[in-house]
mmCIF file of all heavy atoms in Angstrom:
data_model
loop_
_atom_site.group_PDB
_atom_site.id
_atom_site.type_symbol
_atom_site.label_atom_id
_atom_site.label_comp_id
_atom_site.label_asym_id
_atom_site.label_seq_id
_atom_site.Cartn_x
_atom_site.Cartn_y
_atom_site.Cartn_z
ATOM 1 N N CYS A 347 131.735 184.584 118.829
ATOM 2 C CA CYS A 347 131.184 184.795 117.483
ATOM 3 C C CYS A 347 129.670 184.940 117.610
ATOM 4 O O CYS A 347 129.067 184.395 118.522
ATOM 5 C CB CYS A 347 131.493 183.604 116.592
ATOM 6 S SG CYS A 347 133.244 183.268 116.429
ATOM 7 N N GLY A 348 129.097 185.663 116.650
ATOM 8 C CA GLY A 348 127.633 185.735 116.578
ATOM 9 C C GLY A 348 127.012 186.139 117.904
ATOM 10 O O GLY A 348 127.421 187.097 118.551
ATOM 11 N N SER A 349 126.050 185.357 118.328
ATOM 12 C CA SER A 349 125.322 185.700 119.559
ATOM 13 C C SER A 349 126.244 185.708 120.768
ATOM 14 O O SER A 349 126.060 186.495 121.702
ATOM 15 C CB SER A 349 124.185 184.708 119.771
ATOM 16 O OG SER A 349 123.261 184.829 118.717
ATOM 17 N N ALA A 350 127.236 184.820 120.753
ATOM 18 C CA ALA A 350 128.181 184.787 121.886
ATOM 19 C C ALA A 350 128.922 186.119 121.974
ATOM 20 O O ALA A 350 129.188 186.642 123.059
ATOM 21 C CB ALA A 350 129.166 183.632 121.711
ATOM 22 N N ILE A 393 133.461 182.852 124.937
ATOM 23 C CA ILE A 393 132.057 182.444 125.091
ATOM 24 C C ILE A 393 131.666 181.615 123.871
ATOM 25 O O ILE A 393 131.868 182.041 122.725
ATOM 26 C CB ILE A 393 131.136 183.673 125.201
ATOM 27 C CG1 ILE A 393 131.548 184.538 126.400
ATOM 28 C CG2 ILE A 393 129.676 183.230 125.349
ATOM 29 C CD1 ILE A 393 130.745 185.834 126.539
ATOM 30 N N SER A 394 131.165 180.430 124.117
ATOM 31 C CA SER A 394 130.778 179.565 122.996
ATOM 32 C C SER A 394 129.774 178.513 123.454
ATOM 33 O O SER A 394 130.089 177.692 124.317
ATOM 34 C CB SER A 394 132.000 178.853 122.411
ATOM 35 O OG SER A 394 131.589 177.927 121.413
ATOM 36 N N GLN A 395 128.598 178.524 122.878
ATOM 37 C CA GLN A 395 127.583 177.533 123.225
ATOM 38 C C GLN A 395 128.072 176.131 122.899
ATOM 39 O O GLN A 395 128.098 175.284 123.771
ATOM 40 C CB GLN A 395 126.298 177.835 122.441
ATOM 41 C CG GLN A 395 125.128 176.958 122.752
ATOM 42 C CD GLN A 395 125.193 175.587 122.045
ATOM 43 O OE1 GLN A 395 124.997 174.557 122.662
ATOM 44 N NE2 GLN A 395 125.516 175.572 120.759
ATOM 45 N N SER A 396 128.532 175.938 121.678
ATOM 46 C CA SER A 396 128.918 174.590 121.216
ATOM 47 C C SER A 396 130.266 174.161 121.762
ATOM 48 O O SER A 396 130.582 172.990 121.870
ATOM 49 C CB SER A 396 128.985 174.562 119.692
ATOM 50 O OG SER A 396 130.023 175.455 119.261
ATOM 51 N N GLY A 397 131.118 175.156 122.030
ATOM 52 C CA GLY A 397 132.474 174.830 122.453
ATOM 53 C C GLY A 397 133.317 174.259 121.330
ATOM 54 O O GLY A 397 134.387 173.706 121.552
ATOM 55 N N THR A 399 133.385 176.071 118.059
ATOM 56 C CA THR A 399 133.535 177.093 117.016
ATOM 57 C C THR A 399 135.009 177.312 116.714
ATOM 58 O O THR A 399 135.787 177.662 117.611
ATOM 59 C CB THR A 399 132.859 178.395 117.465
ATOM 60 O OG1 THR A 399 131.476 178.109 117.670
ATOM 61 C CG2 THR A 399 133.009 179.504 116.445
ATOM 62 N N SER A 402 136.702 180.648 117.630
ATOM 63 C CA SER A 402 136.818 180.851 119.076
ATOM 64 C C SER A 402 137.871 179.931 119.669
ATOM 65 O O SER A 402 138.652 180.327 120.541
ATOM 66 C CB SER A 402 135.456 180.615 119.742
ATOM 67 O OG SER A 402 134.475 181.438 119.130
ATOM 68 N N VAL A 445 119.276 175.905 115.542
ATOM 69 C CA VAL A 445 120.509 176.583 115.099
ATOM 70 C C VAL A 445 120.571 177.981 115.697
ATOM 71 O O VAL A 445 121.618 178.450 116.123
ATOM 72 C CB VAL A 445 120.573 176.646 113.565
ATOM 73 C CG1 VAL A 445 121.653 177.608 113.093
ATOM 74 C CG2 VAL A 445 120.831 175.253 112.984
ATOM 75 N N ALA A 446 119.442 178.652 115.765
ATOM 76 C CA ALA A 446 119.413 180.007 116.337
ATOM 77 C C ALA A 446 119.438 179.874 117.857
ATOM 78 O O ALA A 446 118.544 179.295 118.461
ATOM 79 C CB ALA A 446 118.162 180.739 115.898
ATOM 80 N N THR A 447 120.448 180.423 118.471
ATOM 81 C CA THR A 447 120.558 180.261 119.916
ATOM 82 C C THR A 447 119.635 181.216 120.656
ATOM 83 O O THR A 447 119.444 182.359 120.250
ATOM 84 C CB THR A 447 121.999 180.478 120.394
ATOM 85 O OG1 THR A 447 122.073 180.202 121.795
ATOM 86 C CG2 THR A 447 122.481 181.902 120.160
ATOM 87 N N GLN A 454 124.456 182.359 128.933
ATOM 88 C CA GLN A 454 125.772 183.026 128.871
ATOM 89 C C GLN A 454 125.697 184.411 129.515
ATOM 90 O O GLN A 454 126.593 184.836 130.246
ATOM 91 C CB GLN A 454 126.226 183.145 127.418
ATOM 92 C CG GLN A 454 126.600 181.836 126.755
ATOM 93 C CD GLN A 454 126.584 181.919 125.239
ATOM 94 O OE1 GLN A 454 126.320 182.972 124.645
ATOM 95 N NE2 GLN A 454 126.832 180.795 124.578
ATOM 96 N N GLU A 528 121.550 191.372 118.856
ATOM 97 C CA GLU A 528 121.028 190.000 118.980
ATOM 98 C C GLU A 528 119.655 189.893 118.328
ATOM 99 O O GLU A 528 119.354 188.934 117.617
ATOM 100 C CB GLU A 528 120.968 189.589 120.444
ATOM 101 C CG GLU A 528 120.454 188.188 120.689
ATOM 102 C CD GLU A 528 121.254 187.096 119.984
ATOM 103 O OE1 GLU A 528 122.369 187.370 119.498
ATOM 104 O OE2 GLU A 528 120.729 185.983 119.882
ATOM 105 N N LEU A 531 120.133 189.752 114.574
ATOM 106 C CA LEU A 531 120.653 188.454 114.118
ATOM 107 C C LEU A 531 119.567 187.388 114.166
ATOM 108 O O LEU A 531 119.403 186.607 113.230
ATOM 109 C CB LEU A 531 121.842 188.021 114.980
ATOM 110 C CG LEU A 531 122.406 186.645 114.658
ATOM 111 C CD1 LEU A 531 122.920 186.588 113.228
ATOM 112 C CD2 LEU A 531 123.531 186.252 115.614
ATOM 113 N N LYS A 532 118.819 187.334 115.241
ATOM 114 C CA LYS A 532 117.726 186.367 115.351
ATOM 115 C C LYS A 532 116.784 186.486 114.156
ATOM 116 O O LYS A 532 116.432 185.523 113.515
ATOM 117 C CB LYS A 532 116.936 186.583 116.652
ATOM 118 C CG LYS A 532 117.657 186.144 117.898
ATOM 119 C CD LYS A 532 117.645 184.660 118.154
ATOM 120 C CE LYS A 532 118.836 183.860 117.743
ATOM 121 N NZ LYS A 532 120.169 184.271 117.952
ATOM 122 N N GLU A 535 118.660 185.534 110.644
ATOM 123 C CA GLU A 535 119.176 184.172 110.412
ATOM 124 C C GLU A 535 118.049 183.153 110.249
ATOM 125 O O GLU A 535 118.259 182.105 109.639
ATOM 126 C CB GLU A 535 120.132 183.740 111.515
ATOM 127 C CG GLU A 535 119.533 183.527 112.873
ATOM 128 C CD GLU A 535 120.579 182.967 113.851
ATOM 129 O OE1 GLU A 535 121.469 182.213 113.430
ATOM 130 O OE2 GLU A 535 120.511 183.305 115.030
ATOM 131 N N ALA A 649 124.742 176.144 110.201
ATOM 132 C CA ALA A 649 124.896 174.913 110.986
ATOM 133 C C ALA A 649 124.953 175.321 112.457
ATOM 134 O O ALA A 649 125.261 176.469 112.768
ATOM 135 C CB ALA A 649 126.181 174.187 110.598
ATOM 136 N N LYS A 650 124.684 174.384 113.311
ATOM 137 C CA LYS A 650 124.612 174.717 114.738
ATOM 138 C C LYS A 650 125.970 175.113 115.290
ATOM 139 O O LYS A 650 126.078 175.940 116.164
ATOM 140 C CB LYS A 650 124.063 173.536 115.538
ATOM 141 C CG LYS A 650 123.867 173.823 117.025
ATOM 142 C CD LYS A 650 122.947 175.012 117.273
ATOM 143 C CE LYS A 650 122.836 175.370 118.726
ATOM 144 N NZ LYS A 650 122.131 176.655 118.941
ATOM 145 N N SER A 651 126.991 174.509 114.755
ATOM 146 C CA SER A 651 128.310 174.890 115.237
ATOM 147 C C SER A 651 129.235 175.017 114.028
ATOM 148 O O SER A 651 129.313 174.114 113.206
ATOM 149 C CB SER A 651 128.864 173.831 116.198
ATOM 150 O OG SER A 651 130.200 174.144 116.492
ATOM 151 N N VAL A 652 129.903 176.165 113.935
ATOM 152 C CA VAL A 652 130.757 176.424 112.768
ATOM 153 C C VAL A 652 132.179 175.994 113.104
ATOM 154 O O VAL A 652 132.961 176.739 113.685
ATOM 155 C CB VAL A 652 130.711 177.921 112.392
ATOM 156 C CG1 VAL A 652 131.501 178.165 111.100
ATOM 157 C CG2 VAL A 652 129.261 178.368 112.207
HETATM 158 C C1 LIG B 86 123.305 182.360 116.852
HETATM 159 O O1 LIG B 86 121.880 182.302 116.752
HETATM 160 C C2 LIG B 86 123.975 181.806 115.634
HETATM 161 N N1 LIG B 86 123.547 180.476 115.391
HETATM 162 C C3 LIG B 86 125.490 181.976 115.643
HETATM 163 O O2 LIG B 86 125.743 183.348 115.566
HETATM 164 C C4 LIG B 86 126.246 181.440 116.889
HETATM 165 O O3 LIG B 86 125.956 182.245 118.006
HETATM 166 C C5 LIG B 86 127.751 181.527 116.612
HETATM 167 O O4 LIG B 86 128.057 180.689 115.508
HETATM 168 C C6 LIG B 86 128.626 181.104 117.805
HETATM 169 O O5 LIG B 86 128.391 179.756 118.107
HETATM 170 P P1 LIG B 86 128.974 179.177 119.504
HETATM 171 O O6 LIG B 86 128.302 179.935 120.600
HETATM 172 O O7 LIG B 86 128.629 177.720 119.475
HETATM 173 O O8 LIG B 86 130.464 179.416 119.503
#
Side-chain angles (χ1 to χ4, degrees):
C347 302
S349 296
I393 301 176
S394 175
Q395 184 280 132
S396 64
T399 299
S402 305
V445 167
T447 185
Q454 290 160 2
E528 180 58 13
L531 176 61
K532 287 282 98 43
E535 68 175 327
K650 184 57 185 170
S651 172
V652 185

